Amino acid sequence: MVGEMKNKLLFTFLSAFIFFGGLTFGQLEDLKISGHWFLNFKAGKKKTEDINKFDITRGYLNIEKSLGNGFSARLTPDITLDEEGSDAGNVELRLKYAYLKYKFDDFAFFTNPYFEVGVVHRPFFGFEQKINPYRVQGKMFMDRFKVIGTTDYGISFFALLGGKLDKKYQKEVSKAYPGKYGSFSIGIYNGGGYHAIEENKNKTIETRLTVRPLWSVLPNLQLTYFGAFGKGNTAEMPDLAVHAGVLTFEHQKFTLIGQYYTGEGNSAGTAIINSNTSHDQKGYSLFAEIKVLPKRLAIFGRYDNFTKEKSKDEEHKAIVFGAAYKLNKGVKLVADFDASKKDNAAYDDNSMFKVSLEVKF
């Protein structure tokens, strides 16, 4: 395991050297290095297995470089613990992001438009995680139930719509995706995600359209449609179709998210009745955050309901609640309880208490 880890680390640092190699000292002033880590202690049960351990669930090291004329590059290895398959227990090093970005001038209705090419952001999850800032607690709804992943090999386009909201709103509520009328993204991808080998020649198309229907009087309200279309990532290529509607409301003192999903199959190609026939799926997720002390202390909760429509429907439920306290600009302490169940099973069979540190620098 140690030898394998050393080889992976060597490969990553060699990749970084090649990716950003040839820089002069003068060019280093545009080089940005940052980190994002999730460190936690967890205790409880996972599929009736007793858990009691310290863990790291995210270990990003971001290397970013402006290349001039609108171009920039990013390389982000991710260190995590493999919990599945024959490599369970091994520390695993993967590439989460490795892309060339090109930002160009506004045109038509698009503001701050840009492309990413390589291992890139997909249209939805980067947007969702700017509104629900608790990825440190666990995966977002559609990622949790393995409908679709977060990043992938491909090309993405992003833009704000119709200019930007005023600086007061961005300072008091959110700087993320501050399009006056909303934001838009579309892309084409391998489909299996950054951690999967491409198993077929199919490509998936994903898109997100977010609008602020009352931007002049209620910019806090956003309505979003997210869609994904293609085949699952297996040789049999089962159908993949994702339709999700999301309502979000962001305020200085609270945040609300309501999400409904319906579709067939998943990006991995494992949501199937037989080798090449996908089964239908649907579900919804509700999230609320109350900012007890704005920008310092908050409490939050989430409820997920997900159904696989097989010959006998399979219903999955999950509840999450917790509290978060920002120790300083780069460190957030989160304590939460997460419990889930399938059909008539007890929540006690899958329940976890966690204390986490989210570290950014």
Side-chain angles (χ1 to χ4, degrees):
M1 180 180 77
V2 174
E4 181 183 354
M5 184 61 188
K6 286 182 177 178
N7 289 337
K8 289 182 177 181
L9 284 169
L10 179 61
F11 171 77
T12 298
F13 288 120
L14 283 174
S15 298
F17 177 78
I18 294 169
F19 203 59
F20 297 99
L23 300 177
T24 67
F25 285 108
Q27 291 173 312
L28 289 176
E29 64 185 29
D30 294 326
L31 187 69
K32 179 182 177 184
I33 297 176
S34 60
H36 193 182
W37 303 341
F38 294 166
L39 315 171
N40 59 60
F41 171 77
K42 59 181 71 172
K45 287 186 175 182
K46 182 178 181 181
K47 296 180 181 178
T48 71
E49 176 189 357
D50 289 334
I51 303 291
N52 188 303
K53 64 179 180 178
F54 291 96
D55 199 2
I56 176 169
T57 53
R58 172 177 287 180
Y60 289 174
L61 180 65
N62 303 308
I63 306 169
E64 299 173 87
K65 177 69 174 71
S66 172
L67 303 176
N69 296 322
F71 289 96
S72 62
R74 174 179 175 180
L75 181 70
T76 302
D78 179 19
I79 299 172
T80 188
L81 185 68
D82 194 335
E83 297 182 350
E84 298 178 346
S86 60
D87 290 331
N90 287 355
V91 174
E92 190 173 81
L93 186 65
R94 302 179 295 196
L95 277 180
K96 182 72 173 184
Y97 302 100
Y99 59 75
L100 179 70
K101 180 177 178 178
Y102 177 62
K103 184 177 179 180
F104 51 101
D105 294 337
D106 299 350
F107 70 97
F109 203 58
F110 296 120
T111 302
N112 287 3
Y114 64 90
F115 283 97
E116 293 177 357
V117 181
V119 187
V120 300
H121 294 89
R122 290 159 96 163
F124 183 65
F125 286 106
F127 169 80
E128 181 183 26
Q129 290 174 29
K130 291 297 185 181
I131 303 173
N132 177 349
Y134 295 104
R135 178 61 183 84
V136 64
Q137 181 280 322
K139 294 180 178 180
M140 301 290 107
F141 170 60
M142 284 192 287
D143 190 20
R144 177 172 187 153
F145 292 102
K146 300 180 180 180
V147 175
I148 207 150
T150 55
T151 68
D152 204 348
Y153 296 81
I155 180 169
S156 293
F157 170 78
F158 297 88
L160 305 179
L161 300 179
K164 294 183 179 181
L165 294 171
D166 60 61
K167 292 183 179 179
K168 182 172 184 267
Y169 178 89
Q170 293 186 52
K171 181 179 179 180
E172 294 179 354
V173 182
S174 175
K175 296 179 180 179
Y177 297 92
K180 183 184 292 186
Y181 295 103
S183 56
F184 173 74
S185 179
I186 191 169
I188 183 168
Y189 314 96
N190 281 351
Y194 71 98
H195 50 72
I197 296 172
E198 176 71 344
E199 299 288 353
N200 55 48
K201 295 181 180 179
N202 172 74
K203 297 294 174 282
T204 63
I205 296 174
E206 300 177 21
T207 187
R208 174 183 59 82
L209 174 63
T210 299
V211 297
R212 298 183 194 268
L214 303 171
W215 71 268
S216 60
V217 293
L218 199 64
N220 319 69
L221 176 67
Q222 295 189 88
L223 304 177
T224 295
Y225 168 77
F226 168 67
F229 312 94
K231 302 289 184 179
N233 187 38
T234 64
E236 292 77 16
M237 298 195 300
D239 289 337
L240 166 69
V242 174
H243 302 279
V246 187
L247 184 150
T248 61
F249 193 94
E250 297 176 88
H251 190 270
Q252 287 173 282
K253 296 183 178 180
F254 64 90
T255 298
L256 301 173
I257 304 174
Q259 182 176 159
Y260 179 78
Y261 149 76
T262 183
E264 60 176 324
N266 61 14
S267 60
T270 57
I272 52 177
I273 298 172
N274 53 50
S275 61
N276 60 2
T277 304
S278 299
H279 59 63
D280 294 333
Q281 302 184 135
K282 64 181 180 181
Y284 63 91
S285 178
L286 304 172
F287 169 83
E289 177 193 32
I290 299 174
K291 301 168 186 177
V292 181
L293 297 173
K295 298 185 178 181
R296 183 67 74 172
L297 175 65
I299 57 175
F300 63 92
R302 190 174 114 199
Y303 174 75
D304 295 344
N305 186 294
F306 184 82
T307 301
K308 297 180 181 181
E309 298 182 341
K310 300 179 178 180
S311 56
K312 179 181 182 299
D313 286 356
E314 225 177 70
E315 186 178 31
H316 299 253
K317 297 179 180 179
I319 54 173
V320 176
F321 58 86
Y325 185 78
K326 288 189 176 180
L327 300 174
N328 59 35
K329 185 178 180 181
V331 182
K332 180 165 67 177
L333 176 66
V334 178
D336 72 88
F337 178 76
D338 184 320
S340 61
K341 70 173 187 174
K342 174 182 170 183
D343 295 328
N344 296 320
Y347 277 111
D348 291 344
D349 291 341
N350 283 283
S351 59
M352 197 74 64
F353 172 75
K354 297 194 298 294
V355 178
S356 307
L357 281 172
E358 180 174 6
V359 181
K360 292 183 179 180
F361 64 89

